[in-house]
Amino acid sequence: MTYRNVVSAVVRALAAETINSAGGCDFEPKVQCAKQSGEILGKEAAFLQDCWVFGRLHKGLSAPQWRSLVAKYSTHTDRKHAAITELTKAIRSPAPERFRHCAVVTWALPKLLGVEGKRSTNVLPAGWYEMDNWTDEPHPVKTQERWRREIRKALERAVDEALVEVGHILEHEGLLISEAA
């Protein structure tokens, strides 16, 4: 199996740890079961590859790159929150700590269309998306917007750099569909 693009590979790999009810990329039972019936095919093969890519990316990326991808794309709530916390500590901005944290959280969990986030379980209450709630000290709106914009640019830059590295890893392993075909 090959991936259509880098983002789909990252999303599938990060989602692999939440797919089964055993919790995590626990592909050993599936592999053992498939070996008994012959070759590993279909969904089991794709799941096995997604788990392998998860491990390969986790090992091959730097910690900041890995955290940025987990915060942006992971469906594993605990890992996503841990990555958000680490990114908040690492982000450089003149904004107060609570403002930085709220900016990172709302970037990682964007407000989705739909009635009060009913389309997704990973949506924050509406108050989280209002910048006035992000700090107790009064700051001009333009300053808050500048802080948020700079924080988001830094986060997106980190994700872009991580995706470039993921692309190199996947190309090296021959897991991307070539565009020349």
Side-chain angles (χ1 to χ4, degrees), residues 115-135:
V115 181
E116 297 181 20
K118 298 266 192 258
R119 287 181 46 194
S120 173
T121 58
N122 239 359
V123 176
L124 302 168
W128 270 87
Y129 299 100
E130 296 175 20
M131 275 193 306
D132 291 339
N133 297 332
W134 294 5
T135 182

Side-chain angles (χ1 to χ4, degrees), residues 43-159:
K43 292 187 299 183
E44 285 80 17
F47 178 69
L48 178 62
Q49 181 173 325
D50 292 339
C51 291
W52 180 86
V53 169
F54 176 94
R56 181 68 178 88
L57 295 181
H58 189 251
K59 184 177 180 181
L61 296 174
S62 68
Q65 291 171 331
W66 178 252
R67 280 193 295 266
S68 65
L69 292 179
V70 169
K72 176 97 174 171
Y73 297 112
S74 182
T75 56
H76 191 285
T77 306
D78 294 337
R79 289 190 200 275
K80 188 172 190 103
H81 290 299
I84 289 168
T85 301
E86 291 298 318
L87 286 175
T88 300
K89 292 175 186 174
I91 202 83
R92 298 291 169 238
S93 171
E97 183 180 350
R98 188 168 125 205
F99 187 95
R100 288 193 321 264
H101 180 70
C102 291
V104 173
V105 168
T106 57
W107 167 81
L109 299 167
K111 190 174 186 178
L112 300 176
L113 298 176
V115 181
E116 297 181 20
K118 298 266 192 258
R119 287 181 46 194
S120 173
T121 58
N122 239 359
V123 176
L124 302 168
W128 270 87
Y129 299 100
E130 296 175 20
M131 275 193 306
D132 291 339
N133 297 332
W134 294 5
T135 182
D136 292 331
E137 302 96 32
H139 295 285
V141 172
K142 293 284 187 191
T143 301
Q144 292 181 27
E145 289 173 348
R146 180 173 40 84
W147 286 343
R148 181 182 65 185
R149 185 174 50 252
E150 289 171 358
I151 290 168
R152 289 184 178 199
K153 279 183 184 178
L155 293 167
E156 287 299 328
R157 191 170 37 253
V159 167

Side-chain angles (χ1 to χ4, degrees), residues 2-34:
T2 55
Y3 298 101
R4 287 180 284 135
N5 58 46
V6 174
V7 174
S8 66
V10 169
V11 169
R12 284 185 58 99
L14 290 173
E17 68 179 334
T18 59
I19 288 176
N20 65 9
S21 61
C25 287
D26 187 15
F27 54 84
E28 286 295 326
K30 289 182 177 278
V31 171
Q32 295 303 323
C33 181

